[in-house]
């Protein structure tokens, strides 16, 4: 996880050093930030399901709760990403 944060920070630093248009910045934001979040959600969801299946017999109640909380948070965050991409970013790109 530290590598992901470090590489994201490095990409953000490089972006600020470059002269980019507002539209280029918004496109990069969607690719670098939103794309990475979606990828991490997918990976985490797969691993969490695997842990749930493997350890259900001994930790079922706790893992079901964790799975439920993660799923709700993931859903809320994905809705926020779509809202940003469909409402906020287009408003920002209009001059």
């Amino acid at each position: 996880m530290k590598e992901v944060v470090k590489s994201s920070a490095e990409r953000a630093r490089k972006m600020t050093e470059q002269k980019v248009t507002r539209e280029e910045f918004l496109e990069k934001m969607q690719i670098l930030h939103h794309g990475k979040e979606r990828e991490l959600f997918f990976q985490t969801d797969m691993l969490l399901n695997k842990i749930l299946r493997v350890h259900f017999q001994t930790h079922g109640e706790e893992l079901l709760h964790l799975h439920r909380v993660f799923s709700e948070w993931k859903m809320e965050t994905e809705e926020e990403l779509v809202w940003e991409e469909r409402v906020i970013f287009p408003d920002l790109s209009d001059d």
Side-chain angles (χ1 to χ4, degrees):
M1 187 64 166
K2 289 181 183 179
E3 293 82 22
V4 171
V5 172
K6 186 176 179 181
S7 66
S8 295
E10 180 65 23
R11 287 191 300 248
R13 186 186 62 75
K14 287 180 181 178
M15 277 177 40
T16 59
E17 292 174 354
Q18 302 170 355
K19 298 278 187 193
V20 295
T21 65
R22 189 180 306 174
E23 286 77 16
E24 290 171 327
F25 172 78
L26 294 172
E27 182 179 342
K28 287 182 180 186
M29 174 65 89
Q30 287 183 45
I31 293 168
L32 297 177
H33 176 61
H34 289 189
K36 191 62 178 178
E37 281 193 35
R38 286 185 173 104
E39 181 182 326
L40 290 171
F41 281 147
F42 177 75
Q43 292 171 356
T44 304
D45 194 38
M46 287 183 55
L47 291 171
L48 189 54
N49 278 298
K50 182 177 184 177
I51 292 167
L52 179 64
R53 286 191 314 272
V54 171
H55 297 283
F56 185 81
Q57 292 297 327
T58 54
H59 300 285
E61 187 176 325
E62 301 99 313
L63 291 172
L64 285 172
H65 176 72
L66 178 63
H67 185 267
R68 195 170 299 112
V69 169
F70 173 77
S71 296
E72 290 172 4
W73 176 73
K74 177 179 173 266
M75 181 184 66
E76 290 172 7
T77 305
E78 287 173 331
E79 290 171 357
E80 178 72 20
L81 295 177
V82 170
W83 183 75
E84 288 177 1
E85 293 168 358
R86 299 296 181 228
V87 177
I88 299 297
F89 291 172
D91 286 350
L92 293 174
S93 66
D94 293 340
D95 290 326

